[in-house]
Structure formats: structure tokens, C-alpha cells
Amino acid sequence: MSKVNEAALRKRISVSTLNKMKQQGQKFSSLTAYDASFAKLFDDQGVHVLLIGDSLGNVVQGLDDTLGVTVQDIAYHTRCVRVATASALVVADLPFMSYATPEQACENAAVLMRAGAQMVKLEGGEWVCDTIRTLVERSVPVCAHIGLMPQSVHVMGGYKVQGKSQEDAERILREAKAVEAAGAQLLVIECVSQKVAKAVTEALSIPVIGIGAGPDTDGQVLVMHDMFGISAGHIPKFSKNFLIEAADMQSAVSRFVSDVAEGRFPAAEHSFD
């Protein structure tokens, strides 16, 4: 049976699906998506989670960072992705300053959920816990995001690997536990040492998705443009151009999914000590 037919027969992936995969030690894959055509391609090839990321500011809008992306931008692209997705879990970013207060987060999360998101993602540690609790209490599933947080790039002084010192590693683990306790059902951890990501993944009961966080997280996510090697700017160390070794885009995505599932990606050269 072809992957396309398999996709049509698969049930919609939920957080419960990912929880079961974590418990069984099965790795799952995630890609960013911004339109219907690529969303369908990714869905047909078995990608488990599609993220409408504020990375669209960089790869779609050509901006230097993600700060110019609006809720309306994310909602538009979420509609495009959801209409073409049969089984993958659809997660949408709450962009910069769209969740400064719990009330604001609820209003903007409602916009994204009505556009087709099944979960919203927000960046931050302990300071967003009240917001996470408020969203979950109002039936909005939340994916938290810690480590390197692109919306805080100017505060962090650039795109730097996090968790290098013992103090910073302990902070990241503390933040991970805090957002889980607040009700987050997924966690993205970005650009941290492999050792820190492993400790976080083992400490949490919720699935952990890594990007630049080594091979020990429950899932892996890449920006689709990086995975195809077509980003206009710098391709990060933690990414890989899967199109180089593939005949076409479908084969590249299939290779990404299988390499994640079988533990071949990320390799040592894509991870941080």
C-alpha cells in the first residue's frame, strides 16, 4: 500500500498518540508547514506533527527574526495547512507579544484554534505558567517551548546554545518541570546540549520535541526549508539537507521520518555537547 493510501487510512494523531509513542520508546517526527501543498506532502509521508511556526517570518516573509509575525499571519497559514491535513497534529505558534497576559493569550489562541489549530505553542518558562494554566482550563491544549527562544533573541544576545553551565542546565530542567505542572501537554526544547535535553526528556511524562537538542528527545522537528536545503540564510548546525540524498521531495520527507524513527537523525554532527 502506498504512503498516500496509508495516510488516508490513518486516524488523526492526538496528544494521546504521542504519549503512547513516548511510553513505547517510539520516536516521532515534526516539520514546519505554511501552505496546503507542503502540508499534504508531509501528511502523506507520515509526519506526525505539523507546526505553523513563526519561523515563517524568516523563511516566508524574509525577515531577520520572527518578531514581525502577527496572529493574523499565523491564522492565515494555519487555515492553509489544516485544510490539507488528514492525520497529523496541527500546532500553531502564538507569535511575539500575543500572550503577554493570560487574557490576551486566550483571545489570540481562540483565533488560531478557529483557524484550525489543535494546539498552540508559546515560548517561555516559569513566567508563562499562569498563562498555560488559564489556556488549559479553557480547553486550549498547549505546547511549551524552552531553551533557545527565538522571540527572546535580543534579550539572549543572539542565537546561542543554552544549558552550557550547570546553573543554566538546572534552570532549563526547572522550567521544563514547571510548564508540565502548569498543564502543557507537549514541550519543544531548542538548541541545548544533548545531556540537558536527555535529562529533561527523562524527567517529564509529556512528550519532548527537540530541535538542536540531540537524539534523546521523544520527537524531532525541523524547519521545512532547512530540511530541503533551500533556506536563503544560514542552515543551522542541527539541521540536515535530506534532499541531497533523495530523488524528490517526497523521498526526502520519507527519509527524514524514517531516520528519526530509527534513531539515525540527529547524528553527533547535528548535536551540541
Side-chain angles (χ1 to χ4, degrees), residues 2-263:
S2 71
K3 282 187 174 291
V4 174
N5 290 334
E6 288 176 4
L9 293 174
R10 290 199 312 268
K11 294 182 179 179
R12 173 71 70 173
I13 291 170
S14 66
V15 173
S16 296
T17 309
L18 303 182
N19 281 330
K20 185 176 181 180
M21 293 182 74
K22 178 184 176 83
Q23 292 163 6
Q24 295 177 345
Q26 298 176 329
K27 304 286 188 180
F28 62 89
S29 55
S30 176
L31 286 171
T32 63
Y34 315 100
D35 64 34
S37 296
F38 279 107
K40 186 177 188 305
L41 187 158
F42 299 158
D43 197 54
D44 286 346
Q45 297 304 316
V47 177
H48 299 87
V49 181
L50 296 184
L51 170 64
I52 299 87
D54 58 6
S55 51
L56 70 87
N58 305 113
V59 297
V60 177
Q61 298 174 338
L63 304 176
D64 291 333
D65 53 42
T66 66
L67 307 188
V69 177
T70 67
V71 173
Q72 290 70 32
D73 291 335
I74 298 289
Y76 170 80
H77 289 278
T78 298
R79 290 189 186 94
C80 295
V81 168
R82 180 59 188 273
V83 73
T85 306
S87 59
L89 180 70
V90 176
V91 181
D93 264 346
L94 281 167
F96 177 66
M97 288 301 290
S98 66
Y99 50 98
T101 67
E103 294 75 20
Q104 185 188 31
C106 287
E107 292 175 3
N108 290 321
V111 172
L112 300 185
M113 297 289 283
R114 291 185 183 116
Q118 296 164 286
M119 173 177 278
V120 300
K121 182 172 77 66
L122 48 74
E123 297 180 6
E126 291 167 306
W127 77 268
V128 295
C129 286
D130 286 343
T131 297
I132 293 173
R133 277 188 286 268
T134 300
L135 288 169
V136 173
E137 286 170 356
R138 287 152 182 80
S139 303
V140 178
V142 174
C143 174
H145 182 147
I146 62 172
L148 173 64
M149 295 175 288
Q151 292 176 18
S152 302
V153 61
H154 296 306
V155 174
M156 290 182 163
Y159 297 96
K160 299 178 179 179
V161 178
Q162 304 295 301
K164 286 186 173 182
S165 69
Q166 183 65 28
E167 181 181 4
D168 201 31
E170 291 173 356
R171 174 188 60 80
I172 290 172
L173 181 58
R174 184 174 66 250
E175 289 178 340
K177 292 178 178 179
V179 295
E180 178 183 41
Q185 293 176 289
L186 281 179
L187 175 68
V188 169
I189 184 166
E190 180 171 358
C191 271
V192 301
S193 71
Q194 181 176 335
K195 181 178 179 181
V196 171
K198 186 175 188 292
V200 167
T201 303
E202 292 175 347
L204 301 191
S205 61
I206 62 174
V208 177
I209 303 174
I211 177 167
D216 299 307
T217 54
D218 304 303
Q220 298 290 334
V221 62
L222 286 178
V223 173
M224 56 164 280
H225 295 69
D226 292 343
M227 191 209 68
F228 289 134
I230 58 174
S231 291
H234 169 69
I235 303 283
K237 165 188 167 67
F238 54 74
S239 190
K240 176 183 177 179
N241 181 354
F242 282 84
L243 195 55
I244 288 179
E245 301 172 355
D248 51 33
M249 287 184 170
Q250 288 87 345
S251 300
V253 176
S254 179
R255 176 74 64 88
F256 168 67
V257 172
S258 62
D259 280 5
V260 170
E262 296 172 22

